[in-house]
């Protein structure tokens, strides 16, 4: 009986050490951010193509390619982490003022995507790095299309 009484204060400590603390939620997938940015770029490029006739062809190419980038990135995100119910998203496309500023915004968006990919590419598995490299190369070629 004395042994049980002396061992009793130790039991909660030992048992407490065996329990696992609740797991922290996983960090957001960095490719999800890239997919969202690609969707936004595609939306803006579509607006430019519709509003600025001199950029219609080039902006249309940017819209098509960035939509494909978004789709490929989102497929990888969904493969790695099955999707949750979508959150409502409303991204209003700002009006396009003139061809030069529209072209500048398209180029800036592509350059920002390339930069973000450059920051991430060394920290992802090789198969994801290949996907990111393809998207970055696509963005670089689209910048050339825009001139």
């Amino acid at each position: 009986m004395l042994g049980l009484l002396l061992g009793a204060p130790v039991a909660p400590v030992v048992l407490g050490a065996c329990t696992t603390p609740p797991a922290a939620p996983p960090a957001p997938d960095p490719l999800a951010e890239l997919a969202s940015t690609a969707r936004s770029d595609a939306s803006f490029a579509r607006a430019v193509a519709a509003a600025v006739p001199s950029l219609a062809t080039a902006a249309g190419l940017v819209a098509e390619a960035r939509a494909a980038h978004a789709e490929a990135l989102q497929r990888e995100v969904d493969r790695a982490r099955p999707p949750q119910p979508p959150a409502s998203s409303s991204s209003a496309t700002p009006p396009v003022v003139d061809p030069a500023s529209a072209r500048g915004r398209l180029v800036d968006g592509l350059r920002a995507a390339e930069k973000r990919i450059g920051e991430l590419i060394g920290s992802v598995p090789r198969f994801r790095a290949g996907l990111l490299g393809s998207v970055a190369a696509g963005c670089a070629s689209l910048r050339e299309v825009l001139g």
Side-chain angles (χ1 to χ4, degrees):
M1 181 80 145
L2 183 59
L4 287 175
L5 290 176
L6 292 176
V10 177
V13 174
V14 172
L15 292 175
C18 295
T19 61
T20 316
D29 190 325
L31 272 61
E33 170 196 344
L34 294 172
S36 176
T37 299
R39 280 189 294 276
S40 179
D41 288 351
S43 177
F44 179 71
R46 279 196 236 33
V48 169
V52 184
S54 63
L55 290 176
T57 301
L61 291 171
V62 171
E64 186 178 314
R66 291 302 279 154
H69 293 166
E71 185 178 322
L73 290 162
Q74 191 63 54
R75 271 195 314 267
E76 171 54 21
V77 169
D78 293 346
R79 183 205 61 78
R81 298 180 186 164
Q84 301 297 318
S88 65
S89 169
S90 64
S91 61
T93 304
V96 177
V97 180
D98 66 280
S101 66
R103 180 186 312 271
R105 285 192 53 196
L106 288 169
V107 168
D108 289 347
L110 294 167
R111 199 172 275 131
E114 287 177 75
K115 181 177 187 263
R116 182 66 180 133
I117 289 169
E119 294 167 356
L120 290 174
I121 204 160
S123 66
V124 298
R126 282 189 284 197
F127 69 94
R128 279 185 156 207
L131 172 61
L132 293 179
S134 295
V135 171
C139 290
S141 66
L142 291 169
R143 283 191 300 108
E144 291 300 315
V145 167
L146 290 167

